[in-house]
Amino acid sequence: MADEFDADVLVVGAGFAGLGAARALQRAGKSVVVVEATGVVGGRARRGRLEGLEFAAGAEYVHGAAGEVLDLLKRAKVDVETRAWPATYWLGRERRHFDADGAPAELRAAHDAFDAIEDDHAAHESLLQYFVRKGVKSRCLDVADAVYANDYGESASELGAAEVAHEQKHWTGGEDYFVLRNGTLADAAAELARGLDVRL
């Protein structure tokens, strides 16, 4: 199939993984064509439109040591605000927003439970079971469920506490979050795609 595109390598998918692979192959001296079925680059990081309003869909935050992504955002002229984790909380059912400093004690207690997970989880318990055992209140469980659905693609009831403890033990990405002010990760994807042969 690569012969049909006159390239050494055909990469399927123009999300960050496909574009990153294409860049690495290009740096290694290979000719590359990237094909994408959806008509846009970025994979899950894209813009959506609903009732005339444009919004960012997919990934919402860049966190950890995200040097390459931050470089792409800078080249795309996207303003990035650095925040320490946790910076804010949103209790959706209550429609209440808190800065970390003004958050209720029960939200801080949920963070304390998370910080203790490495030493205190049981072998076969889910993250939800762990939080319930630690006394995390139901309104905080909603926040945790949303966070883990975003970070892991699974709810807290489907995610093992041992897996989260393992990641926490080996996490080297830092605790900062980078909030994008005048753009989205779709802009970083477009920058990553610049100069590649991408066929939409």
Side-chain angles (χ1 to χ4, degrees), residues 37-101:
T38 67
V40 294
V41 299
R44 290 184 357 177
R46 64 182 59 222
R47 288 184 176 83
R49 186 169 284 287
L50 180 66
E51 296 183 13
L53 298 174
E54 188 175 78
F55 60 92
E60 301 162 10
Y61 298 99
V62 176
H63 54 90
E68 289 183 49
V69 175
L70 291 174
D71 289 344
L72 290 167
L73 289 166
K74 183 177 181 180
R75 290 198 317 251
K77 299 188 180 358
V78 174
D79 294 329
V80 179
E81 177 185 339
T82 302
R83 292 186 175 191
W85 171 256
T88 62
Y89 298 94
W90 169 253
L91 298 178
R93 289 185 188 179
E94 299 174 27
R95 303 187 61 76
R96 294 180 65 202
H97 179 261
F98 303 97
D99 287 331
D101 294 338

Side-chain angles (χ1 to χ4, degrees), residues 111-192:
H111 267 283
D112 292 343
F114 178 77
D115 289 342
I117 197 169
E118 209 176 306
D119 298 320
D120 198 25
H121 69 280
H124 296 289
E125 79 186 329
S126 72
L127 184 60
L128 178 63
Q129 291 167 328
Y130 168 77
F131 280 143
V132 168
R133 180 171 59 79
K134 296 295 285 183
V136 173
K137 304 290 186 204
S138 63
R139 69 195 289 212
C140 300
L141 292 176
D142 289 342
V143 173
D145 210 32
V147 166
Y148 288 100
N150 186 50
D151 286 356
Y152 291 91
E154 295 186 65
S155 69
S157 63
E158 297 167 323
L159 188 60
E163 288 78 14
V164 174
H166 177 81
E167 185 201 31
Q168 185 171 337
K169 180 178 182 179
H170 299 284
W171 177 256
T172 60
E175 292 298 320
D176 287 339
Y177 270 69
F178 304 101
V179 181
L180 311 183
R181 286 292 173 203
N182 63 330
T184 70
L185 287 176
D187 296 306
E191 191 63 35
L192 186 58

